[in-house]
Every structure is written in C-alpha cells, then in structure tokens.
C-alpha cells in the first residue's frame, strides 16, 4: 500500500501519445500503482484498476454501483459521466446505469427478446450487409475502412435487428456519426442527435405496438415476466442503449482488429490459410484474441462505491468512482502468457473485453457475429489488403471509454 501516489507514468495518462499506445502506461500502472487515483481530463477524480485479478473482482462487486446518484462529485460531474446528452434526453433508466433489483428485472425482460437464437438467425443478413458495404469500394482499389466499412456495418445491423425501416436507417447513421465525432467535444450537436433518436424510437415503438412484427422492438414490447412488461419509455431507453452500447464498440472491434492483422503478416496468414481451408476454429479464437489484445472498451463504464471498500490494498471512500481498465487487465502477465503477443489460436483466454458479472455484455453474440463476418469477408475478398499510410500517421480517438482509430486508409487490387 502506498502512502503517496508514485510519480505518474510516461507518457502521461490520456495524452495524445497515450491514445496512440496506452499499453506501456498500463504496464507501468499494473507494476507501480495498480489501484491508481487520478484526475481525468474532465476534472473528475477516479480510481483506475489495472490488474486482472482486481479488475475481475471489482466488476463483480455488488458494493460498486452503476447508478450515478452514488457519485460523491455528482453536481460537479454533471454531464461529464456517462453517455453525452443522455441526461437531457431522459434515457437514464438503462442497464448500464442501474443496479439490482431494477437491473435484474430489465435484463431478464430484454434477454427474452434479444436471444442468441435471434442473433444466429440474423447471420445471413449480416453477411449480406457486409458484402454490400465491400461492394461499395471493392472496385476502387482504396478505401477508408473506418468510414466505409467498420462505421456503417454495426449501425445498419442493429437498425435491421431492431426493425428500423430501411428508409430511416441513414438518419441513424447521421445521428450516430454526430455522437461519435463529438464524444468529449462540444455537446450541443450530440444532445440534439440523442433527442431526435429518442423521439424517433418512441414513435416507432408506438407504431409497432399497433402492428407487432418479428423484429427486436416488437420482441421488447411483447416480452413479459410474471405479467410485467417494459413501459414505452423503458423500451425506448432499451433500444437506445442497444444502439449506443453496440455501435462504437463494434466499429472498433472491426477497426482495431483489422489494423492488428495488417500489422502482423504472420498471424494474418494463419487466419487466411484457415479460412481458405474452410476451418473456422481460428476465426472463433481469433475474434476473442483481438478483443483481448486491443479491445474496443478501454475502461469499463463507471462504478461508484456505495460504502468504503478495499481494492488491491487501497481504501476507496463512499461515493468515489472506480474505473476498471479492461485493456490493462487483459495484458496482465500474471494472467496471460506472453500478453503483448497477438496469438489468434490462444485457447486460455478469459479476457474481460465484454466485461464480467451481471453487466456482462448483452450484445456479445451479435458483436462476435459481426466481427467474424467482417474480418473473414474482408480478408477473403481483398487478399492483398494493406495499410495506405505509415503506422505513425494513423490517428486514434483518444476517448476515455472507447479506443479506436479515426480512419484506416487501405489499398488493394481492385475486384474486377
Ligand atoms: C455491456 C463491451 C457490443 C450491448 C458491455 C460491457 C462491456 C461491453 C465491457 C460491460 C460494461 C460494464 O460492466 O461497465 C462490448 C464490446 C462490444 C460490444 C467490446 C463489441 C465488440 C455490443 C453490442 C450490443 C451491446 C453489439 C447490443 C446490440 C450491451 C449492453 C450492455 C453491454 C446492453 C449492458 C448490459 C448490462 O448492464 O446488463 N458491453 N460490447 N454490446 N453491452 Fe456490449
């Protein structure tokens, strides 16, 4: 246990160089200050938990609440914690902001509609979407894989799954684009986009109630548990969190994953050889490894201590925020053999990329389906895909929660 904070790691946390490669700083933290008190760029104070064992324990600790009412700096932090614009838009009552028993009830209801079977049945649709997006640039010989591929794929996929009509899906693409671009920046445009999305979803839920279909929104309306149903507001908040939680994350799984493969020709060959031979085992373990190696969610979302507790020997006071650094835990040499090596065939891989405990990612089956389909199709259709710029010129989105590229310019032999 430290009496004083050790000197800060270099490069300093949340700087530009840090966003490009946070892993050396995370290694420093794991070694020197595994439960580290810091002031975030927003001015909010928080604890960072970086060791695997501590992280896993914290994610499952019922004394750590997800509800921001428990934050001791709540007034000061208003608007700086959670989803940009959500406060103004009354979308607060969603899974990532609540604790049992409300969480248990809502999660049970949504799980009845958002089943692994629904996702499995959706596979041909994800394949068709993936091919359509690649068709858009395959004849050109160059593309920005973030804007033309990784960004639109998850938004169209989740819109389709929810039952948003095709003619309205480009509105979602625009709103989602505003929300991503402004993450951490000016909030006006974001609040407006969130408001429009909410109004649209409420209207859509209202219309679907009159004529239920077999889409996910109809499933949410239909789902009941001991006679309990979601209210229209709860269903709107649920649809919103499915969009929000399932969108930028998947963009970054596809973006970070493709980038990791482009940088590692040996591992890329392992995957393309297996795909050419019709073997999918490496694709399965490979997606998990890409989630571990450079997962989209850098820090699990906020948790607040509801009573004094100890993590890794440090006392956390009531109301203090705790951020579990999934990306650091997943490179912990105490848990993973050769943690800084990408090994697509890695078997012993209980990574925390989807979280752990009662808030474990609800969308994991969909994310896996999208990640597998996107990577397999891209590498098969464009076998000589390569980076169009030197690695050092790529810009990363230096967020707090999410880690991903701003753009991924590539070249390849055009499809005839
Ligand atoms: C929760 C990661 C895709 C919906 C989470 C959590 C993580 C995560 C780490 C837990 C957060 C915490 O404990 O604070 C990811 C990653 C994804 C992904 C890495 C893509 C690669 C999706 C998709 C959807 C989704 C596609 C839905 C369509 C959710 C929901 C929760 C959640 C609803 C909250 C669950 C709860 O609180 O009970 N996700 N996610 N996610 N995710 Fe995902």
């Amino acid at each position: 246990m430290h009496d004083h904070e050790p000197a800060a790691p270099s490069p300093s946390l949340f700087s530009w160089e840090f966003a490009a490669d946070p892993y050396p700083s995370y290694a420093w933290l794991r070694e020197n200050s595994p439960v580290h008190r810091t002031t975030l760029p927003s001015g909010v104070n928080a604890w960072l938990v970086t060791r695997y064992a501590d992280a896993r324990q914290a994610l499952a600790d019922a004394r750590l609440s997800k509800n921001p009412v428990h934050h001791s700096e709540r007034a000061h932090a208003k608007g700086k914690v959670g989803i940009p614009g959500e406060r103004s838009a009354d979308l607060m009552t969603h899974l990532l902001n609540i604790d049992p028993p409300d969480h248990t009830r809502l999660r049970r209801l949504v799980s009845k509609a958002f089943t692994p079977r629904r996702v499995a049945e959706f596979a041909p649709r994800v394949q068709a979407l993936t091919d359509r997006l690649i068709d858009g640039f395959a004849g050109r010989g160059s593309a920005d894989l973030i804007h033309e591929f990784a960004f639109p794929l998850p938004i169209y996929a989740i819109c389709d799954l929810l039952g948003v009509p095709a003619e309205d899906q480009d509105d979602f693409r625009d709103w989602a684009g505003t929300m991503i671009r402004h993450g951490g920046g000016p909030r006006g445009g974001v609040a407006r986009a969130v408001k429009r999305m909410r109004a649209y979803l409420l209207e859509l839920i209202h219309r679907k109630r009159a004529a239920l279909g077999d889409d996910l929104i109809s499933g949410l309306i239909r789902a009941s548990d001991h006679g309990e149903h979601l209210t229209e507001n709860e269903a709107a908040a649920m649809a919103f969190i499915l969009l929000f939680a399932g969108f930028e994350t998947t963009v970054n799984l596809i973006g970070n994953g493709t980038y990791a493969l482009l940088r590692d020709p040996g591992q890329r060959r392992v995957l393309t050889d297996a795909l050419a031979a019709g073997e999918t085992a490496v694709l399965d373990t490979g997606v998990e490894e890409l989630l571990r190696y450079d997962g989209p969610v850098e820090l699990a979302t906020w948790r607040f201590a509801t009573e004094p507790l100890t993590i890794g020997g440090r006392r956390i006071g009531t109301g203090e925020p705790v951020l579990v650094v999934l990306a650091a835990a997943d490179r912990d040499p105490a848990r993973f053999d050769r943690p800084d090596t990408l090994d697509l065939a890695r078997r012993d891989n209980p990574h925390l990329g989807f979280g752990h405990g009662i808030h474990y990612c609800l969308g994991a089956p969909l994310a896996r389906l999208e990640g597998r389909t996107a990577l397999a199709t891209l590498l098969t259709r464009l076998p000589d895909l390569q980076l169009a710029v030197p690695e050092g010129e790529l810009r990363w989105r230096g967020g707090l929660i999410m880690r991903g590229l701003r753009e991924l310019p590539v070249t390849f032999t055009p499809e005839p």
Side-chain angles (χ1 to χ4, degrees), residues 202-232:
L202 271 175
E203 220 266 318
L204 184 65
I205 287 166
H206 205 69
R207 262 190 291 148
K208 298 253 179 204
R209 195 184 281 287
L212 290 178
D214 43 359
D215 50 79
L216 181 53
I217 286 192
S218 299
L220 287 174
I221 297 171
R222 224 183 259 122
S224 69
D225 190 43
H226 298 107
E228 272 199 278
H229 285 83
L230 293 173
T231 65
E232 288 202 0

Side-chain angles (χ1 to χ4, degrees), residues 57-67 99 302-307 309 311 316 320-322 324 359:
Q57 203 177 338
L59 289 172
D61 192 326
R63 295 168 300 174
L64 289 172
S65 165
K66 299 280 288 176
N67 193 331
D99 302 316
W302 300 82
R303 280 163 170 74
F304 307 96
T306 56
E307 57 185 87
L309 58 114
I311 306 177
I316 315 278
E320 292 182 348
V322 173
V324 177
H359 293 280

